[in-house]
Amino acid sequence: MSQFLWLIPGTPMLGALIIALLGGLLQRRHLAIMATCAAAIAFLVVLLTWLAGAATSQPLQQTLYTWIAVGDWNPTIGFILDRLALIMVSVVSGVGLLIHIYSISFMAEDSDQRRYYFFLNLFLAGMLILVLADNLLLLYLGWELVGLCSFALIGFWYHEPMRASAGRKAFITTRIGDMSLALGIFLLYSQFNDLSLSYLLANAAAQWEAGSQLAILTALLILGGAIGKSAQLPLQVWLPDAMAGPSPVSALIHAATMVTAGVYLIARTYPLFELAPHVQWSVAAIGAITIIYGASAALAQNDFKRILAYSTISQVGYMFLALGCGAYALALFHLVTHAFFKSLLFLAAGTVIHSSGNEHNIHNLGRLGNHSPLVRWSFLIGAASLAGFPLITAGFYSKEAILTATWSAPAGPLLWVFAAFGVLLTAVYIFRVYFLVFQGSQSSASMPSVSGSMTWPLLILALFSLIGGFVEFPEGWPAPHLWSTWLEDEFKSVVLPPLAIAYSLQFITSLLPLIGIVLAFVLVRRKQIGHSLPIIVFLRRGWGFDALYQTMLIQPYFSLARFLKNTDTLLVEGTLQKLTHACLIFATACRSGVEHGVLDKSINGLLAGLRFGYARLSATQNGLLTRYALMISAGAVFLLSYWLW
Amino acid sequence: MIPLTHSLIIAALLFSLGLLIILLRRELLFILMGLEVMFNGAALTAVAAGQYWNNADGQVLTIFLMVVTAAELAVALILVWLAYEHFKVTQIDMLTQLKDDTRGEPP
Amino acid sequence: MYWLSVLIFLPLSGALVVGLTGRFSAASVRWIALAITVAELLIALGLWWSASPDSNGYLYIVQAPWIPIMGIQFLLGMDGLSLLLVLLTALLVPIAILVSWNSIRHNWPTFAALVLTTQAGIMGVFLALDLILFYVFWELMLVPMYFLIALWGHERRLYAAYKFFLFTVTGSLLMLVAILGLYFIHGEQTGIYTFNYFELLHTNLPGNTGMWLMLGFFVAFAVKIPLFPIHSWLPDAHTEAPTAGSIILAGLLLKTGAYGLLRFCLPLFPEASVDFAPFAMVLGVIGILYGALLALVQEDMKRLIAYSSISHLGFVVFGIYAWNQEGLHGAMLLMLAHGVTTSAMFAIIGMLEERVDTRLLPCMGGLLAPMPRMGAMLLLFTLSAMGMPGLANFVGEFLVLAGVYQVSAGLAIAGAMGVVASAIYLLWMYQRAMLGELSSEHAWSDLDHREMLILGLLAITVLWLGLYPAPFLNYLQVPASVIIELNTATLVGIEDALRRSD
């Protein structure tokens, strides 16, 4: 099976290439089908690896070729498929396929489908490379590739400068995180002279002591990369703006897959984090604060998709919390369920927005009213799963597991309080949306039908949002723990609180969503009250991070650049000008002083002397023969007399 | 036997006479004649010296000198005639074509 | 292998025939120039094909006496580094000719002759191993370049050409002085007066002399690279030059500076260079950040790319003076990558200017819609320039930073910030040019076949360098390890000296 591993990222890549090179020859519709086929083949290969027993066997490996060869360091283009990668690959290719199918109708009207499907396929390839990479360099390639596709797809409708800027903002913000990751890679490379993941992790654990400086530094740098990609505090500012892209893109890239790359990265390099307990705890802390941040900001938004974006920030916070508490398997569990319900929510939201003429404001959407029951029900399922509605939704199981595991971490109860408060807020904000949009008005105008290729993804995702959680039941329940047993070899198992505490925690966690839903209902009833309270405005602006960065970083950066541009003229050009000027003055002085004063005068004097002598001598040259004769004879007499003397 | 001193004095007188003619007279023909007188002075010296040393070289030189003088005189007379033809002068002072007439200015 | 001489004299004689006979029409001159440069490319490819990468040291050598009484030889040699740079030259000059196909409107014969002469000069610089010969070629490439800028440039071309000439000539005169100094010192020591590079390698330079001579070379090369305080000619020259001139300037002339550092500065004066390395690296990092910052606020696209060149060449200097496997490999590879990427950018800007009639970013916007192919190509090269993995610049920049990190983590962090900054200014440029609202309803034509050929060739090279640089890196193994041995030898020498003094 392992010799077909390259097909998983290879087919979407090939699809992208064909679209790029030959896309001009294909019709719009065929482009969509081609891209979908590429995604489908990738998904099929993943399914085949499941069938071939990848879930139970040793990791599959394939090395394609040596990428760079410098000295004795030879990073390769090579893939590894272990259980962690298998989860990610399944989610990415599965959700990716569904989103491709959804896009067929969603983007049918758009005139620039070639670009859309090129980047969508390229994204899929990049994401699959990221999760399959067997060394950090290749992982970094995938990492940047998905960032690029995210940039291009956020700014897909580039005619509006706002959307193009949002793409750029996303790229640059994540690039700051990427820089941190790259520095981490440099550090690891300078220590171990190799970037192969298995080698690094084994050797780091063997060579570094827990809590050593290098381990802390490496973990921090990698965490920086993860934070950027996963939109955690303080690099979360790009994600809400990223909603400028088409809804399927938001569902795929900014909810299900790319933003969870940070989670994957930390889970992949978890031995490094184990070596730096403080950093690991700060992962949890960042997660906890981000949960509150995202949930509270979502509460105050009016833009449908921005709510979901803040919700994503908040939910990825749960995954970080789990990672920080050492519950890697549970973080991945939440990653999977979140991928289902969040892309379901995005697709439902996309359908609503699409059919209502691109209206994003939830109040207006509620007034418009006519939403098809399919969308309404699927959104309800997604919302319930997101809120963690007890027992019947996948979100409940994954979130509950994380909360229970949090309790026994260092400063666990504090983190738990944050997370639990997040659960409450989550239920409030998402059901606020639900009530506002779907219950707001009861007008029963003609229901727009949802076309086939949009229906199936909704149905499938809704199904998984409900049943996806049944692989891991809460601690202490008489039901299987398939998930954590399956991942036991990959990660160490989690320390869980005693059963009594666990039960009470579970009780509270089940109660909180219900309270939240009631609160949301009340809130919507008293709608518009406190609409412009300062706190609401503060929350709506995402705690003012954008403004802060604008004044603290972006403006100073630009003014520094402008300042340098001006000083460049002043400094470099000015110095040059001065230098030239000085040279000119010196040259002038030389001309008047040396040239005119000394050299010219001496030459002139010499000339005058010569001229004088010439004038005297030329008098003898008078043409009078007798004078010449006289001279000759005088000369002869003189010589003779001299000789005779 | 005439002593050498006498002939040399005569020769010197002849030479000086010729030179004086050249220096003092202005007519071209007279200058030519002065030249001949000077030649004669020189020839006389050669003959006298030959006799004194009992050597024929002096006479040989004198004969050679006379021949050359004759030839030279022929050329010179033609030149004088040509000068008269071209410039209508017989006076040497008028013939200053070779003088440096850009006095005081470098060429 | 006389093919090395052919590489130099083919374009030179072509230039003489085309420029002096004046028998050809503009149309045929273009084809002749193209044929000559393509022949060069084929010869270069042939040399690449027949060279075996594992052979030690120099792949080809040509040696003939020139002025024996002064110890000057006609000595050409090609090692892996020269080979790759010759390939780059042979690739970019035909592209420069193709780019000028329609945009140069007057006096094609002279233009072609000047381009070909420049090519001969650059080839000579990359091949010459006799210092006087090197100096001759160094100046030979300068003069036609001056005329290319001054005759076919844009508005302020005379000023730019003058500045370019003045800066480079000053530098190269210092180099000439240093060459002569080295010549006499070597002659006094050994009794052999020669300019032969291999002989001079073993010169024993006492005390400060080495440092002064090294600085003479360094300044000449630093002007060409250009390094921070003496970069000011570059934005002007790049901006005012015609597109072909910009391609040759950015793609090739800047590389001669870095090549000089690698070929002459480091091997001839290892001790002095080791002492000087920290300063050079600081200059490099200043260049990286300074160029990136200034590029952000430029409105002229060509000027923006010019400043980005300063930033990228800062990485090259960075890598060279990091002086280890990764740094040197990265620097050499980045030279190639930058040559291809930046040339492509300048070519695209030239094509844009032919259509839109401006280079000013505020006057553009939304051009992706009428020109999707050009937009896609510009995106590809923009991404390469900002170090997207899988494209050319990434491998070089990554290796450079990995190498620098082993020397100094702080400098590596500063350099990595330069990578982020490059994303900022390049994306901002791309957005202002291609995205946003279309300002006018003019009907613009997309790239035609000739332009697709140019950019397609460069795009393939960029992808090749990014995805499978191993064939290129193979050739760099030997040159890099030669330079590294110098460093270790120097360090060992210093240690020995210390031990002896103990």
Side-chain angles (χ1 to χ4, degrees):
Chain A
M1 201 53 221
S2 59
Q3 66 270 31
F4 297 115
L5 219 48
W6 67 272
L7 275 172
I8 299 176
T11 36
M13 185 65 90
L14 205 65
L17 262 182
I18 293 174
I19 292 171
L21 296 178
L22 308 171
L25 308 174
L26 296 171
Q27 287 178 358
R28 270 193 218 170
R29 208 171 159 69
H30 296 157
L31 273 175
I33 291 171
M34 232 222 62
T36 313
C37 283
I41 294 171
F43 182 64
L44 272 180
V45 178
V46 174
L47 276 187
L48 282 175
T49 54
W50 277 98
L51 291 178
T56 49
S57 66
Q58 286 296 306
L60 300 175
Q61 268 185 307
Q62 185 184 19
T63 303
L64 291 184
Y65 62 90
T66 304
W67 183 10
I68 300 168
V70 170
D72 39 6
W73 178 53
N74 302 304
T76 56
I77 303 279
F79 303 117
I80 184 164
L81 185 76
D82 54 5
R83 288 177 192 182
L84 170 57
L86 189 60
I87 297 168
M88 292 300 294
V89 164
S90 311
V91 170
V92 170
S93 61
V95 177
L97 174 62
L98 289 177
I99 304 261
H100 271 84
I101 295 171
Y102 181 86
S103 298
I104 296 176
S105 345
F106 189 88
M107 298 298 289
E109 311 285 304
D110 204 282
S111 59
D112 207 356
Q113 294 196 29
R114 189 173 167 194
R115 190 158 49 91
Y116 178 80
Y117 284 108
F118 168 73
F119 280 114
L120 210 58
N121 262 352
L122 191 66
F123 169 80
L124 214 53
M127 195 66 206
L128 291 167
I129 289 175
L130 197 167
V131 295
L132 283 172
D134 73 345
N135 64 65
L136 274 176
L137 200 62
L138 188 60
L139 186 147
Y140 190 75
L141 185 146
W143 191 264
E144 289 281 313
L145 206 56
V146 293
L148 156 71
C149 298
S150 156
F151 155 76
L153 288 170
I154 293 171
F156 180 72
W157 290 307
Y158 58 85
H159 297 289
E160 294 171 46
M162 184 274 291
R163 295 182 195 270
S165 294
R168 188 162 51 90
K169 182 179 176 184
F171 194 94
I172 290 169
T173 316
T174 49
R175 197 98 208 257
I176 293 169
D178 298 351
M179 178 190 103
S180 166
L181 173 62
L183 285 172
I185 295 177
F186 296 145
L187 198 157
L188 285 170
Y189 178 70
S190 69
Q191 292 298 315
F192 298 105
N193 261 310
D194 202 302
L195 286 179
S196 151
L197 275 164
S198 51
Y199 178 87
L200 276 184
L201 297 179
N203 277 22
Q207 291 181 17
W208 288 347
E209 288 172 24
S212 70
Q213 204 113 48
L214 279 173
I216 289 177
L217 201 59
T218 318
L220 269 179
L221 288 171
I222 292 178
L223 175 62
I227 282 176
K229 215 47 142 196
S230 290
Q232 297 294 292
L233 283 173
L235 291 178
Q236 83 293 8
V237 286
W238 64 272
L239 189 60
D241 287 352
M243 295 302 128
S247 295
V249 169
S250 308
L252 177 61
I253 301 183
H254 306 116
T257 54
M258 190 186 86
V259 285
T260 57
V263 179
Y264 167 78
L265 180 68
I266 295 181
R268 179 56 89 189
T269 57
Y270 81 96
L272 293 171
F273 285 85
E274 301 269 301
L275 291 172
H278 294 296
V279 180
Q280 191 171 23
W281 192 81
S282 60
V283 175
I286 288 173
I289 297 171
T290 312
I291 291 169
I292 303 293
Y293 166 84
S296 61
L299 201 54
Q301 302 299 316
N302 287 327
D303 183 309
F304 203 162
K305 285 179 75 183
R306 278 179 94 85
I307 295 172
L308 294 178
Y310 278 110
S311 160
T312 306
I313 294 177
S314 165
Q315 292 302 308
V316 178
Y318 278 104
M319 299 174 209
F320 267 63
L321 180 64
L323 291 170
C325 297
Y328 308 107
L330 299 180
L332 289 173
F333 185 34
H334 193 56
L335 190 158
V336 174
T337 56
H338 173 254
F340 294 139
F341 63 70
K342 189 52 68 62
S343 39
L344 173 65
L345 285 171
F346 265 114
L347 293 188
T351 317
V352 169
I353 292 168
H354 193 61
S355 61
S356 318
N358 241 345
E359 176 60 59
H360 280 249
N361 190 308
I362 44 174
H363 299 286
N364 298 343
L365 282 171
R367 252 170 257 133
L368 280 172
N370 52 341
H371 308 299
S372 76
L374 169 77
V375 176
R376 181 178 168 177
W377 278 104
S378 50
F379 191 87
L380 182 61
I381 292 170
S385 192
L386 170 63
F389 195 84
L391 299 180
I392 55 163
T393 61
F396 167 73
Y397 292 104
S398 60
K399 217 181 271 185
E400 191 281 328
I402 289 175
L403 268 98
T404 314
T406 306
W407 188 267
S408 44
L414 178 67
L415 296 175
W416 185 88
V417 170
F418 271 87
F421 186 54
V423 173
L424 180 70
L425 284 178
T426 308
V428 176
Y429 72 69
I430 196 65
F431 275 93
R432 169 175 168 262
V433 175
Y434 176 75
F435 290 136
L436 274 175
V437 174
F438 294 96
Q439 301 286 88
S441 67
Q442 302 298 329
S443 77
S444 52
S446 61
M447 305 275 183
S449 61
V450 180
S451 66
S453 89
M454 282 156 99
T455 313
W456 283 105
L458 286 175
L459 287 178
I460 294 169
L461 286 170
L463 179 68
F464 277 104
S465 297
L466 290 177
I467 64 161
F470 296 141
V471 291
E472 172 84 4
F473 284 94
E475 178 65 16
W477 289 25
H481 295 84
L482 294 172
W483 186 269
S484 47
T485 353
W486 181 56
L487 284 171
E488 227 162 27
D489 300 341
E490 299 274 326
F491 308 111
K492 60 171 191 143
S493 54
V494 198
V495 189
L496 290 170
L499 266 188
I501 297 179
Y503 281 133
S504 47
L505 291 180
Q506 283 158 20
F507 179 69
I508 300 172
T509 340
S510 342
L511 211 57
L512 282 172
L514 302 175
I515 301 173
I517 294 168
V518 175
L519 270 176
F521 192 69
V522 175
L523 201 71
V524 172
R525 272 294 150 90
R526 301 167 53 200
K527 57 185 159 187
Q528 307 304 338
I529 293 176
H531 201 64
S532 55
L533 279 179
I535 178 77
I536 301 285
V537 176
F538 173 72
L539 288 179
R540 188 175 298 145
R541 291 183 182 156
W543 293 16
F545 268 96
D546 274 325
L548 184 72
Y549 289 165
Q550 185 71 32
T551 45
M552 293 288 290
L553 296 173
I554 301 168
Q555 280 172 0
Y557 187 79
F558 265 89
S559 18
L560 177 65
R562 282 201 200 91
F563 170 75
L564 279 179
K565 188 190 178 187
N566 293 336
T567 43
D568 191 52
T569 7
L570 278 177
L571 205 83
V572 182
E573 297 276 294
T575 323
L576 271 176
Q577 214 93 74
K578 287 252 170 62
L579 216 63
T580 326
H581 202 63
C583 279
L584 276 178
I585 288 174
F586 182 67
T588 322
C590 281
R591 195 176 62 182
S592 58
V594 179
E595 282 283 302
H596 288 183
V598 181
L599 287 177
D600 272 9
K601 279 212 176 112
S602 55
I603 287 177
N604 282 349
L606 191 65
L607 269 179
L610 287 175
R611 215 170 268 159
F612 178 79
Y614 163 76
R616 296 291 81 73
L617 288 175
S618 112
T620 60
Q621 190 80 5
N622 52 10
L624 291 175
L625 196 64
T626 42
R627 292 283 176 79
Y628 296 171
L630 185 63
M631 292 281 183
I632 292 167
S633 29
V637 168
F638 174 74
L639 281 177
L640 270 175
S641 51
Y642 180 78
W643 181 54
L644 289 174
W645 198 267
Chain B
M1 184 70 197
I2 305 159
L4 181 66
T5 338
H6 293 183
S7 359
L8 282 183
I9 287 170
I10 297 289
L13 277 175
L14 272 176
F15 191 84
S16 310
L17 205 65
L19 188 62
L20 279 176
I21 292 169
I22 290 173
L23 291 182
L24 297 178
R25 295 305 294 251
R26 292 285 176 272
E27 289 81 15
L28 278 168
L29 281 173
F30 276 95
I31 289 173
L32 281 180
M33 285 162 70
L35 266 177
E36 289 309 307
V37 175
M38 282 170 79
F39 274 126
N40 285 343
L44 185 60
T45 318
V47 172
Q51 189 214 12
Y52 180 74
W53 297 107
N54 279 324
N55 193 328
D57 283 359
Q59 283 142 21
V60 173
L61 185 63
T62 304
I63 291 167
F64 193 70
L65 199 64
M66 286 160 78
V67 173
V68 171
T69 311
E72 175 249 311
L73 204 63
V75 175
L77 279 172
I78 292 170
L79 280 175
V80 169
W81 182 65
L82 277 175
Y84 180 73
E85 276 285 305
H86 273 274
F87 304 106
K88 301 289 176 212
V89 287
T90 53
Q91 297 281 313
I92 189 78
D93 284 1
M94 299 296 174
L95 293 170
T96 55
Q97 250 71 23
L98 287 177
K99 101 172 190 194
D100 184 13
D101 55 3
T102 54
R103 177 166 301 200
E105 285 297 316
Chain C
M1 278 299 277
Y2 58 91
W3 285 112
L4 294 189
S5 329
V6 174
L7 275 180
I8 295 171
F9 288 109
L10 176 66
L12 205 56
S13 48
L16 287 177
V17 170
V18 165
L20 295 185
T21 54
R23 277 165 182 272
F24 306 104
S25 65
S28 56
V29 161
R30 292 188 296 207
W31 284 106
I32 292 171
L34 188 65
I36 290 171
T37 47
V38 168
E40 286 273 295
L41 181 58
L42 292 179
I43 294 171
L45 287 174
L47 287 172
W48 189 25
W49 183 255
S50 56
S52 57
D54 356 282
S55 67
N56 224 347
Y58 283 81
L59 308 167
Y60 308 102
I61 291 254
V62 171
Q63 196 162 13
W66 185 21
I67 312 176
I69 198 160
M70 290 166 74
I72 301 175
Q73 286 177 316
F74 187 79
L75 177 60
L76 304 178
M78 183 190 257
D79 66 350
L81 177 60
S82 318
L83 171 68
L84 295 187
L85 288 170
V86 162
L87 274 174
L88 182 71
T89 314
L91 173 70
L92 288 186
V93 177
I95 279 171
I97 300 251
L98 275 174
V99 161
S100 320
W101 207 255
N102 295 327
S103 61
I104 295 297
R105 297 213 173 77
H106 61 95
N107 215 350
W108 247 99
T110 321
F111 179 80
L114 289 173
V115 170
L116 289 172
T117 317
T118 317
Q119 185 182 21
I122 296 169
M123 287 284 184
V125 162
F126 288 145
L127 293 174
L129 284 180
D130 182 281
L131 264 64
I132 289 294
L133 191 65
F134 174 76
Y135 183 76
V136 168
F137 285 126
W138 184 264
E139 298 291 319
L140 178 65
M141 66 183 183
L142 184 62
V143 180
M145 202 61 229
Y146 171 84
F147 286 108
L148 278 179
I149 300 174
L151 295 180
W152 286 273
H154 300 291
E155 303 81 28
R156 294 173 71 219
R157 54 177 182 265
L158 282 177
Y159 171 73
Y162 181 64
K163 204 168 172 184
F164 162 72
F165 198 84
L166 218 62
F167 267 81
T168 31
V169 156
T170 314
S172 49
L173 283 179
L174 284 174
M175 178 171 75
L176 182 62
V177 172
I179 289 177
L180 291 176
L182 189 65
Y183 171 73
F184 285 116
I185 289 175
H186 180 261
E188 272 167 31
Q189 279 175 4
T190 58
I192 307 168
Y193 284 89
T194 177
F195 286 102
N196 187 327
Y197 169 74
F198 299 109
E199 300 275 342
L200 292 176
L201 273 181
H202 309 296
T203 314
N204 186 13
L205 292 164
N208 271 337
T209 326
M211 183 55 97
W212 286 112
L213 293 179
M214 193 279 294
L215 281 178
F217 277 87
F218 182 81
V219 169
F221 299 140
V223 167
K224 270 272 162 57
I225 286 177
L227 274 178
F228 160 62
I230 35 184
H231 63 274
S232 126
W233 65 270
L234 179 128
D236 285 314
H238 276 50
T239 313
E240 300 306 327
T243 307
S246 301
I247 289 177
I248 294 176
L249 264 177
L252 302 171
L253 249 65
L254 305 191
K255 306 301 168 302
T256 59
Y259 171 82
L261 287 181
L262 286 167
R263 172 72 71 228
F264 296 104
C265 222
L266 267 55
L268 287 175
F269 315 102
E271 292 93 351
S273 296
V274 168
D275 292 343
F276 190 69
F279 298 100
M281 283 175 79
V282 168
L283 285 180
V285 82
I286 292 175
I288 292 174
L289 297 175
Y290 187 81
L293 268 169
L294 277 177
L296 183 66
V297 283
Q298 299 302 326
E299 300 197 326
D300 185 324
M301 260 176 119
K302 271 183 134 178
R303 231 179 151 75
L304 194 154
I305 302 300
Y307 276 108
S308 88
S309 288
I310 296 178
S311 186
H312 283 126
L313 269 292
F315 275 105
V316 173
V317 175
F318 222 31
I320 290 174
Y321 281 95
W323 216 325
N324 49 27
Q325 284 281 357
E326 295 81 12
L328 283 169
H329 277 101
M332 295 177 193
L333 207 63
L334 190 57
M335 281 158 74
L336 298 182
H338 174 262
V340 178
T341 309
T342 311
S343 304
M345 296 275 248
F346 276 122
I348 291 177
I349 295 169
M351 295 166 191
L352 260 180
E353 201 186 1
E354 279 175 44
R355 292 169 168 78
V356 192
D357 228 19
T358 179
R359 298 189 308 270
L360 295 179
L361 285 165
C363 305
M364 296 185 200
L367 294 175
L368 183 57
M371 298 183 246
R373 268 180 284 184
M374 181 182 281
M377 281 296 180
L378 183 60
L379 182 64
L380 177 75
F381 294 112
T382 306
L383 291 172
S384 173
M386 72 173 84
M388 174 64 58
L391 299 176
N393 286 38
F394 168 73
V395 185
E397 276 172 21
F398 186 89
L399 286 173
V400 164
L401 287 176
V404 171
Y405 193 95
Q406 296 173 22
V407 180
S408 152
L411 284 174
I413 291 171
M417 278 162 67
V419 179
V420 175
S422 74
I424 296 176
Y425 67 77
L426 283 167
L427 284 180
W428 182 221
M429 176 198 85
Y430 189 78
Q431 182 177 347
R432 281 187 289 176
M434 287 290 161
L435 310 181
E437 204 90 47
L438 196 58
S439 50
S440 75
E441 287 299 312
H442 197 277
W444 280 302
S445 54
D446 206 353
L447 301 179
D448 59 23
H449 290 303
R450 173 180 60 90
E451 290 162 331
M452 278 310 279
L453 173 70
I454 297 169
L455 297 179
L457 269 176
L458 293 173
I460 290 170
T461 321
V462 160
L463 281 169
W464 188 1
L465 276 168
L467 287 174
Y468 189 48
F472 302 98
L473 285 168
N474 279 346
Y475 283 95
L476 297 176
Q477 202 88 39
V478 176
S481 44
V482 166
I483 295 172
I484 291 164
E485 273 165 28
L486 287 170
N487 188 19
T488 41
T490 311
L491 292 179
V492 168
I494 291 169
E495 275 167 22
D496 283 348
L498 287 176
R499 215 171 295 136
R500 246 173 278 131
S501 65
D502 279 347

